[in-house]
Amino acid sequence: MSKIVLITGATSGIGAACAFRFAKAGGYDLILTGRNARKLEDVTARVKETGCRVLPLLFDVRVRESCIRAVEQLPSEWREIDILVNNAGLALGLEPEFEGRFEDWDTMIDTNIKGLLNMTRLVVPGMVERGRGHVINIGSVAGDAAYANGGVYCATKAAVKTLTDGLRLDLAATPVRVTNVKPGLVETNFSNVRFHGDTQRASRVYEGIEPLTGDDIADVVLYATQAPAHVQIAEVLVLATHQASGSVIHRES
Ligand code: NDP
Ligand code: 8X3
């Protein structure tokens, strides 16, 4: 029987790469969620071309009522979610904490922390009831230590680490596994979003270093979910070879 995987933020970057990775592995049905109808239709069509069954769900993880509606209205054959990938997230801005934009902070906190909590709260009880399940949270190296001008984003990813650890503690008596995958520099739409569409500034983030790709992270996600049932990959830090931490990056000039 196929496993059901729900991936948030599946319309781009790491989320989309995870969708294709699960689809190519075979044995998975995918619930792909996103908030942009055109992008969601596009990724759904491309994943379906692999022969995988896909259910697209259009909602914003920040809007709790929409999350509730989406999960409560799942068709019966899609209800038993085996794997939740809490991936939807973003950074906005790169400036000192005393100069950041209030609205950027709210968006990061509402998406990266509260959106992840919304989906966890709605999906995990079913996993506990069925006695099987796996939650993968996409954290970040940014959650390990603050870097200059990134304090609020780093704080949201530190929160992801603490919430992942907390959930693992709360589920220790159950077979449900919990994993924090913490990537370093991954070339996706992330920096375009962070710099509010300044693509030149975004491309400079990846200059002089070969960054990770969404596929590199999807490989780790798949590995964690396919580990034997008695193995819980609790946390994985994945860095580009020339990145040593959130703030130490060696660049070829
Ligand atoms: P992308 O911008 O390429 O993808 C982010 C995805 O999240 C998009 O599908 C986006 O949808 C979705 N999303 C954002 N906000 C919401 C929301 N409120 N509701 C629903 N979906 C939303 O970036 P990445 O793939 O790089 O980012 C994925 C995750 O990986 C994030 O949590 C990020 O923090 C984390 N990460 C990224 C790293 C990197 O260097 N790229 C490194 C470490 C962690 P839309 O297109 O509609 O905005
Ligand atoms: C994304 C990686 O280092 O740009 O979480 O914050 S970083």
Side-chain angles (χ1 to χ4, degrees):
M1 210 177 86
S2 290
K3 287 189 170 172
I4 299 179
V5 186
L6 187 154
I7 304 170
T8 65
T11 55
S12 177
I14 294 169
C18 288
F20 286 105
R21 195 69 195 85
F22 279 112
K24 282 181 190 145
Y28 299 95
D29 294 337
L30 304 184
I31 303 173
L32 302 183
T33 89
R35 58 179 177 163
N36 177 306
R38 189 191 53 74
K39 288 204 272 181
L40 187 60
E41 258 171 46
D42 176 64
V43 76
T44 299
R46 288 188 297 123
V47 174
K48 275 185 174 170
E49 280 169 17
T50 67
C52 181
R53 267 167 37 96
V54 181
L55 177 71
L57 291 181
L58 187 68
F59 65 93
D60 186 319
V61 296
R62 289 173 298 175
V63 184
R64 187 166 295 140
E65 288 312 314
S66 305
C67 299
I68 293 171
R69 212 175 312 121
V71 173
E72 282 184 350
Q73 292 180 359
L74 280 170
S76 56
E77 72 271 25
W78 288 94
R79 291 234 164 103
E80 301 197 352
I81 296 165
D82 295 288
I83 299 165
L84 168 64
V85 184
N86 273 317
N87 164 76
L90 76 177
L92 287 171
L94 188 69
E95 60 263 301
E97 236 167 85
F98 53 87
E99 291 175 357
R101 297 188 204 175
F102 290 124
E103 57 274 27
D104 285 353
W105 297 351
D106 289 346
T107 305
M108 288 189 277
I109 291 166
D110 288 350
T111 310
N112 301 357
I113 304 178
K114 293 168 74 179
L116 174 143
L117 276 172
N118 287 340
M119 295 308 293
T120 302
R121 178 65 184 86
L122 291 165
V123 173
V124 172
M127 292 179 170
V128 173
E129 212 175 283
R130 293 185 290 279
R132 62 172 202 274
H134 197 148
V135 179
I136 306 266
N137 288 334
I138 305 298
S140 172
V141 64
D144 285 356
Y147 54 76
N149 302 321
V152 176
Y153 175 69
C154 293
T156 67
K157 291 299 183 178
V160 170
K161 176 178 165 44
T162 303
L163 293 170
T164 312
D165 291 345
L167 184 66
R168 195 179 308 107
L169 290 167
D170 296 341
L171 290 169
T174 80
V176 179
R177 300 182 291 180
V178 187
T179 301
N180 184 10
V181 176
K182 306 186 300 182
L185 284 180
V186 188
E187 192 162 12
T188 62
N189 205 34
F190 179 84
S191 294
N192 288 323
V193 171
R194 167 169 251 175
F195 299 127
H196 298 280
D198 181 341
T199 51
Q200 279 193 342
R201 189 170 177 202
S203 66
R204 286 202 291 275
V205 173
Y206 310 107
E207 258 172 26
I209 182 168
E210 183 177 349
L212 300 166
T213 65
D215 290 339
D216 296 325
I217 306 307
D219 282 343
V220 175
V221 169
L222 188 77
Y223 172 80
T225 62
Q226 291 192 337
H230 68 285
V231 178
Q232 178 169 221
I233 307 292
E235 190 169 296
V236 191
L237 174 65
V238 194
L239 299 176
T241 301
H242 292 293
Q243 176 170 21
S245 72
S247 49
V248 177
I249 297 166
H250 171 77
R251 297 179 193 273
E252 294 294 332
S253 47

